[in-house]
Amino acid sequence: MAAIDCQGLLSMSAEEVVVTGAWMSGYFNGRADNTVLDTEMMPAYGAALGEYCENNPEALVMQAVKTLFDEAE
């Protein structure tokens, strides 16, 4: 997962994006010891990450998540 860049994410199928997003959510929430899944915010998080990736295609997705969402660090 650490090697996936934004360009790669944007070229994935919808199913691959969902699986990748679920993995990233579990990983970062686990690191933060957060056991709450906020399904209402997930579309907004996905949209923010998509916009970031469109503007930064060379960025690594895990770094993009850290940059966008403070709780991911």
Side-chain angles (χ1 to χ4, degrees), residues 4-5 7-8 10 12 15 21 24-25 27 30 45 57-60 72:
I4 298 172
D5 63 15
Q7 186 173 16
L10 294 173
M12 290 180 181
E15 293 82 12
M24 293 273 179
S25 176
Y27 175 80
Y45 293 154
E58 308 269 325
L60 295 175

Side-chain angles (χ1 to χ4, degrees), residues 39-57:
T39 57
E40 290 182 16
M41 288 302 298
M42 290 180 86
Y45 293 154
L49 181 58
E51 182 177 331
Y52 182 91
C53 282
E54 286 177 6
N55 294 317
N56 302 280

